[in-house]
């Protein structure tokens, strides 16, 4: 992706987030020079801030995701149960833009539709080896109530609705009927080691 395209996506994302009543933290607006001065802070260590990805496909409009990590602890805290053991991301799924099928090794996450169109998730359970089990029934909490559906089925979240995804749930998602502002609340996030994709991504 070209830097000009990344800058455009950031501007549009900031406008969309503000239109939904959210405001990003001050470090979202630091200049590169200001960020370099803070290179020894948790903003850098815990990988906070902007993340725009086309998953190496070169087709952001159809396969991609906008993310902003607002807070994130250290994975070492999970072993002790102390400190910041949680994370929060703000994401935007554009209408028809797909986030590829993936699951997590450790992270448990709530995916919350905070406004816009519908968020549609395609869900599968993992088998004993962690691979997609196409025949297994999917069981997930939707707004804290058990929801059952066939493997590969589509779960539609209207604005305000949420789903909890455990590491044994494979998921892809996209927006329908308009872009969607998503908030993810999860255990500590480690994008370098915790994400498992069904197909190779960049």
């Amino acid at each position: 992706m070209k830097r000009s395209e990344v800058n455009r996506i950031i501007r549009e994302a900031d406008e969309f987030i503000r239109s939904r009543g959210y405001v990003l933290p001050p470090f979202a607006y630091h200049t590169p020079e200001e960020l370099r001065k803070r290179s020894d802070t948790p903003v850098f260590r815990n990988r906070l801030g902007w993340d725009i990805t086309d998953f190496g496909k070169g087709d952001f409009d159809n396969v991609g995701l906008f993310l902003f990590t607002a807070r994130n602890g250290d994975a070492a805290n999970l072993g002790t149960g102390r400190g910041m053991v949680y994370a929060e991301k703000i994401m935007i799924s554009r209408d028809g833009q797909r986030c590829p099928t993936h699951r997590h090794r450790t992270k448990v996450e709530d995916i919350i539709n905070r406004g816009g169109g519908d968020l549609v998730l395609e869900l599968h359970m993992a088998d004993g080896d962690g691979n997609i089990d196409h025949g297994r029934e999917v069981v997930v909490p939707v707004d804290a109530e058990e929801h059952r559906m066939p493997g590969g089925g589509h779960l539609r979240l209207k604005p305000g609705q949420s789903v909890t995804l455990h590491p044994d749930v494979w998921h892809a998602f996209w927006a329908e009927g308009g872009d969607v502002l998503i908030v993810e609340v999860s255990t500590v996030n480690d994008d370098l080691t915790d994400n498992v994709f069904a197909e190779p991504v960049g």
Side-chain angles (χ1 to χ4, degrees):
M1 297 175 72
K2 294 182 178 179
R3 182 73 230 187
S4 58
E5 183 180 6
V6 170
N7 289 342
R8 176 182 57 79
I9 292 166
I10 287 174
R11 286 194 303 272
E12 292 172 354
D14 190 39
E15 290 174 9
F16 183 68
I17 290 166
R18 288 175 180 272
S19 77
R20 297 291 159 191
Y22 280 74
V23 179
L24 295 176
F27 65 81
Y29 307 103
H30 288 336
T31 65
E33 292 74 25
E34 290 173 313
L35 288 173
R36 279 196 271 292
K37 292 176 185 175
R38 293 169 169 83
S39 61
D40 61 344
T41 68
V43 170
F44 267 71
R45 288 196 304 271
N46 297 348
R47 301 175 67 86
L48 306 184
W50 306 96
D51 187 1
I52 293 95
T53 180
D54 63 6
F55 299 99
K57 304 296 184 184
D59 186 15
F60 180 78
D61 289 339
N62 291 300
V63 181
L65 190 63
F66 164 88
L67 309 96
F68 185 94
T69 302
R71 51 187 49 82
N72 191 26
D74 188 317
N77 293 339
L78 292 174
T80 66
R82 294 178 172 272
M84 184 183 277
V85 295
Y86 56 88
E88 179 192 16
K89 286 184 179 181
I90 294 95
M91 302 185 288
I92 298 171
S93 182
R94 293 184 171 187
D95 198 350
Q97 180 189 51
R98 187 176 179 91
C99 176
T101 302
H102 65 287
R103 67 173 181 83
H104 303 287
R105 291 187 171 94
T106 303
K107 183 171 73 171
V108 178
E109 58 187 342
D110 277 12
I111 302 294
I112 310 160
N113 182 340
R114 287 297 187 199
D118 293 349
L119 184 65
V120 181
L121 297 95
E122 182 177 289
L123 304 177
H124 292 90
M125 299 301 290
D127 62 18
D129 296 321
N131 299 313
I132 294 174
D133 186 339
H134 293 279
R136 187 173 163 197
E137 182 182 44
V138 174
V139 182
V140 290
V142 175
D143 297 321
E145 294 189 11
E146 186 179 274
H147 181 83
R148 294 177 174 270
M149 56 189 283
H154 292 176
L155 174 66
R156 183 176 296 271
L157 296 180
K158 299 285 188 183
Q161 291 188 299
S162 66
V163 61
T164 301
L165 301 175
H166 289 265
D168 61 345
V169 180
W170 287 90
H171 49 287
F173 57 84
W174 59 92
E176 290 186 0
D179 297 353
V180 174
L181 180 65
I182 304 165
V183 171
E184 174 191 304
V185 178
S186 72
T187 48
V188 170
N189 179 76
D190 181 0
D191 283 329
L192 298 179
T193 64
D194 195 54
N195 300 331
V196 181
F197 286 86
E199 297 180 5
V201 299

